[in-house]
Amino acid sequence: MKKLINSVDNIVDEMLDGMTAAFPQYVKRLEGFNVLVRAKGPSDKVALVSGGGSGHEPSHGGFVGRGMLDGAVAGEVFTSPTPDQIYEAVKAVNGGKGVLLIIKNYTGDVMNFEMAEDMASDDGITVSHVIVADDVAVENSTWTTGRRGIAGTVFVHKIAGAAAEAGLTLSEVKRVAEKVISNVRSMGMAVNACTVPAAGKPGFELEDDEIEIGIGIHGEPGTHREKISDVNNITDKLIDKILAEGIYSSGDEIALMINGMGGTPLMELFIANKHAHEVLDGKGIKIAKTYVGNYMTSLDMEGFSVTLLKLDDELKKFLNAPADTPAFVQF
């Protein structure tokens, strides 16, 4: 295993310090905790907190800033953050208008975020939560009951963040977030698995001519393996599975995300995006906005995911609203 690290035990700690050193205008770290919050402190609006295991960068700390998150909690690699870390994040970002927790649907994340919500509520802080489960690949998985939360979570961060920035109440921000969750679907694939530093070996083995379809973002194997083919064919399979959900139709307007898993060249992501546009255009589905890049990664995994979000006027307005974070700038 080759990794550019100093010690397996210090990876998350050193990463967070490196992020704050790179982006002091955006984020600061809560002393003693694996928590990044906005550098300017809490503001007079609903605050958003998200997080999860590390290894998905730029998620989640890269989305702390104007128009998106107020706080992000980092667990150890592919491990849920503890309730006390989440609780400290909630306290730090609370500006008096309530806090919304955005949780990816993994058993540990749901349990620990909900425990933190109870702790904060006992302190008199108004807290609510939403759970993102956008992965169409499997109904249940290694770490979930129900569908996994993957790259579609970033659209929840963006749109709910804009709603909060616009001054909506906690119940209204939650409603908007749940509308995104109802209309977003994703599916991914891998050419090669990721290597968790503490494990020292890939999460699964693929032959040189094999790919894995339907992978998760923690190195979980997917639904099946098949022989590698051209990226157009692979993109077709991901989009076909998403469209089989039956929530996207000719005449709909969507946002499209081609998300890299961490080890995929942008060249290849743009080729996949070209074909995704051709397929969706051919079905009469209008793409209002496209995102191509690394948003929700899986360490050094080679592969990509496709995310579709059906838009209405409200969601489009918030998607297009200004945002300024280390990993997401939109004016």
Side-chain angles (χ1 to χ4, degrees), residues 131-171:
I131 298 174
V132 187
D134 57 309
D135 185 4
V136 303
V138 293
E139 287 299 326
N140 297 289
S141 69
T142 309
W143 295 335
T144 68
T145 299
R147 291 179 167 181
R148 301 174 292 208
I150 54 174
T153 309
V154 179
F155 280 138
V156 183
H157 294 165
K158 173 64 189 73
I159 291 174
E165 212 77 53
L168 272 64
T169 65
L170 178 58
S171 62

Side-chain angles (χ1 to χ4, degrees), residues 265-286:
L266 279 171
M267 174 188 289
E268 297 174 18
L269 298 182
F270 283 123
I271 295 171
N273 179 62
K274 172 183 179 293
H275 188 62
H277 272 251
E278 293 168 350
V279 170
L280 294 167
D281 288 345
K283 294 181 180 297
I285 298 173
K286 179 182 177 183

Side-chain angles (χ1 to χ4, degrees), residues 16-75:
L16 293 174
D17 284 346
M19 287 184 67
T20 56
F23 304 109
Q25 72 274 33
Y26 292 106
V27 296
K28 62 183 178 182
R29 184 176 178 182
L30 293 188
E31 187 174 352
F33 297 95
N34 291 344
V35 175
L36 297 180
V37 297
R38 293 195 193 188
K40 294 182 179 180
S43 55
D44 183 29
K45 69 173 192 64
V46 172
L48 271 60
V49 173
S50 190
S54 296
H56 305 305
E57 291 72 36
S59 290
H60 300 81
F63 302 126
V64 173
R66 180 173 66 104
M68 292 189 78
L69 300 178
D70 296 88
V73 195

